[in-house]
Amino acid sequence: MDAAILVSALGLVVATIGGSVALYNARKSVLWKRAELANSHLKELLTNDELLFACRCLDWNGGILVVPESLRPLLKDPGETITHDVGVYATAMDPYLTLAEMAAEPRLQIYRTATDTLLGWLSATDSAIDRKLYTPADIREAGYWLGRVHRVPAVMAFIDAFGYREPLDRLARQFGIDPPPLVTRAGGS
């Protein structure tokens, strides 16, 4: 009888060790997949010309910027660059911008389109984190760019007008950032 108890106890120990190893390997696999998804999402930020352009617009106060090939048809004169102007950039984010204004100044639509692409990328980041595909720690760079977006009042007005507020506020909280207050237009709300 003692041998049967010993064999049962040994079997239990082996099963517990085996289960622990399986659990460890499963957890390791989940972490690997999470890192792989986060890296894939970050790769888009670093390789998509419109996203890179939008980030440079947020980071630079002026200078010559290379226009992404996908946006070059919007230029009046064929070219690969524009002179970046933060005042024109702020105008581009005006929710009440008219088609006539965009036709007169092609940089407006270029800035607006690229920034919309970046805001969409940040919204996708929020969705992935919300679905627990990865964590903010896996994609810290998104927190930096979200912080940059939050420091540009004109972009915040665009966010409020075009429905990006909820996902970007949720993303900000995930990164431990206090979302900025709603932007109101002078003379109204």
Side-chain angles (χ1 to χ4, degrees):
M1 183 99 80
D2 288 338
I5 292 174
L6 185 59
V7 169
S8 293
L10 188 58
L12 183 60
V13 169
V14 169
T16 301
I17 290 170
S20 296
V21 168
L23 201 60
Y24 171 78
N25 285 336
R27 176 72 179 143
K28 191 172 157 185
S29 176
V30 166
L31 293 174
W32 180 262
K33 190 55 144 172
R34 189 174 80 186
E36 199 173 65
L37 285 168
N39 285 338
S40 173
H41 192 65
L42 274 177
K43 183 178 180 184
E44 183 181 4
L45 178 67
L46 301 172
T47 59
N48 179 309
D49 289 338
E50 283 186 38
L51 291 172
L52 287 169
F53 179 82
C55 291
R56 288 185 181 123
C57 290
L58 289 169
D59 245 4
W60 297 7
N61 289 322
I64 304 296
L65 290 177
V66 175
V67 176
E69 195 169 326
S70 61
L71 299 177
R72 289 181 191 159
L74 300 174
L75 292 170
K76 285 182 182 177
D77 301 318
E80 296 180 2
T81 63
I82 61 169
T83 301
H84 177 47
D85 181 314
V86 293
V88 175
Y89 180 76
T91 300
M93 297 298 103
D94 182 351
Y96 302 97
L97 186 66
T98 67
L99 293 175
E101 289 171 305
M102 285 192 284
E105 173 54 81
R107 290 179 295 179
L108 295 172
Q109 192 165 358
I110 291 169
Y111 285 144
R112 195 177 182 105
T113 301
T115 301
D116 192 51
T117 300
L118 177 61
L119 297 174
W121 184 86
L122 288 167
S123 291
T125 303
D126 166 65
S127 177
I129 290 171
D130 192 50
R131 291 180 291 146
K132 311 252 187 284
L133 297 178
Y134 44 81
T135 68
D138 296 322
I139 192 161
R140 280 186 212 113
E141 292 83 348
Y144 172 79
W145 291 111
L146 182 62
R148 292 294 298 142
V149 163
H150 281 170
R151 286 191 288 279
V152 181
V155 176
M156 291 309 302
F158 186 88
I159 286 168
D160 288 339
F162 294 105
Y164 288 109
R165 176 57 87 153
E166 183 180 332
L168 296 188
D169 279 2
R170 188 172 43 242
L171 183 61
R173 287 188 293 277
Q174 291 284 351
F175 279 102
I177 300 169
D178 288 330
L182 288 172
V183 177
T184 58
R185 186 177 172 116
S189 57

